Amino acid sequence: MAAKPTGVKADKSERILTITWEDGRISRYPFAGLRAACPCVECKGGHANMGGPADPALVRDAPDTGVTVEKLDAVGAYALQFMWSDGHFTGIYTWDYLRQCDPALAGEP
């Protein structure tokens, strides 16, 4: 893993997740984008589609559906798990995955 988080904040009024990384990068993720990029098997359409690269453009460009985070839990020292307002909760977002889907990286090689 390139960098580990030093801070995580979910702003429910702005519907933005902010992660501060140990290398100084600050990533801001719209809740709708994170929900759209859920890495779980159900959202990916089956096991054959698992493990692909993150899509920062999807996170950046997902339409605002009004979804919000009801609960946010750490999964060990390697991931976050969200309970979304639409009832979905099975996606485990690893730090590597979150770093890869930083919307600021959309369009970068």
Side-chain angles (χ1 to χ4, degrees):
M1 176 167 40
K4 294 181 182 180
T6 59
V8 176
K9 180 184 177 195
D11 184 327
K12 290 185 179 183
S13 64
E14 295 290 324
R15 292 199 316 275
I16 296 284
L17 178 78
T18 302
I19 298 177
T20 304
W21 302 95
E22 66 183 358
D23 64 0
R25 183 176 193 89
I26 298 173
S27 303
R28 292 178 179 86
Y29 308 84
F31 286 176
L34 285 174
R35 177 62 183 91
C38 179
C40 83
V41 68
E42 178 184 349
C43 293
K44 289 289 189 179
H47 288 283
N49 300 321
M50 299 293 292
D55 184 354
L58 173 63
V59 175
R60 181 194 64 202
D61 299 336
D64 188 353
T65 59
V67 71
T68 191
V69 173
E70 296 292 322
K71 187 177 178 190
L72 179 61
D73 291 317
V75 178
Y78 73 96
L80 294 176
Q81 185 170 25
F82 297 84
M83 168 61 116
W84 297 104
S85 58
D86 64 2
H88 189 66
F89 64 91
T90 57
I92 295 176
Y93 297 70
T94 65
W95 299 128
D96 285 340
Y97 185 77
L98 287 164
R99 181 71 179 218
Q100 291 169 18
C101 67
D102 181 340
L105 301 177
E108 290 184 14

